[in-house]
Amino acid sequence: VAAAGTPAPGSDHRGECTMTEVDSGLSSYEWCVLRVVPRVERCEFVNAGVVVYSQTHDVLAAAIELDDARVLALAPDVDLDVVRRHLALVAAVCAGEHEPTSGLPMGQRFRWLTAPRSTMVQPSPVHTGLTADPLLDLATLLDRMVRLPHVTG
């Protein structure tokens, strides 16, 4: 997974395929983290999901895992049902089941989801990378970006 602000390995700065990308069997994809921002004025957030989009693989998918305790630690009075509805809306947009956006191509739905907004659920900046399996990367990103690390010892 490429770091934010850096071009994906094997691609040029315009996001076009290079011979390295074609030869490797990898294709570019984009992703963002879904952040729950219970009190927008405080700029605090909890990562609660990931969205991946790959035009090549015809994939727009979300993985969502809300940690109620972490959200409530930031805002004990937050309505978790409202947060869950907002997150479910993201999943519905990805699946093409959200009526107002269902007729849009996947790329436009991804752009709609990743447009900056000041609501309780916000997207991170969009990141890019190379993948052979965007759904596998979705699971990996959920582990890395949303779930708390397991402490052993």
Side-chain angles (χ1 to χ4, degrees), residues 57-68:
H57 292 276
D58 200 32
V59 168
L60 176 59
I64 296 167
E65 194 168 290
L66 182 63
D67 185 329
D68 294 356

Side-chain angles (χ1 to χ4, degrees), residues 86-111:
H86 282 275
L87 291 168
L89 176 70
V90 172
V93 170
C94 288
E97 298 169 353
H98 175 247
E99 186 65 33
T101 61
S102 63
L104 297 175
M106 283 185 190
Q108 286 184 12
R109 293 196 321 261
F110 181 73
R111 302 287 167 247

Side-chain angles (χ1 to χ4, degrees), residues 22 72 103 145:
V22 172
L72 291 172
M145 305 303 294

Side-chain angles (χ1 to χ4, degrees), residues 37-44 74-75 77 118-120 122:
V37 187
R39 296 168 69 195
V40 176
E41 71 278 5
R42 291 184 53 94
C43 302
E44 298 171 325
L74 295 180
D77 59 340
S118 59
T119 62
M120 192 177 296
Q122 299 178 8

Side-chain angles (χ1 to χ4, degrees), residues 3 19 24-26 40 50 60 68 70 75 79-80 84 88 95 102 117 119 123-124 129 133 138 148 150:
M19 288 307 293
S24 69
L26 300 175
V40 176
V50 179
L60 176 59
D68 294 356
R70 291 175 66 202
D79 186 339
L80 290 172
R84 285 188 194 92
S102 63
R117 54 190 54 133
T119 62
S124 72
D133 184 347
L138 177 65
L148 290 175
H150 296 295

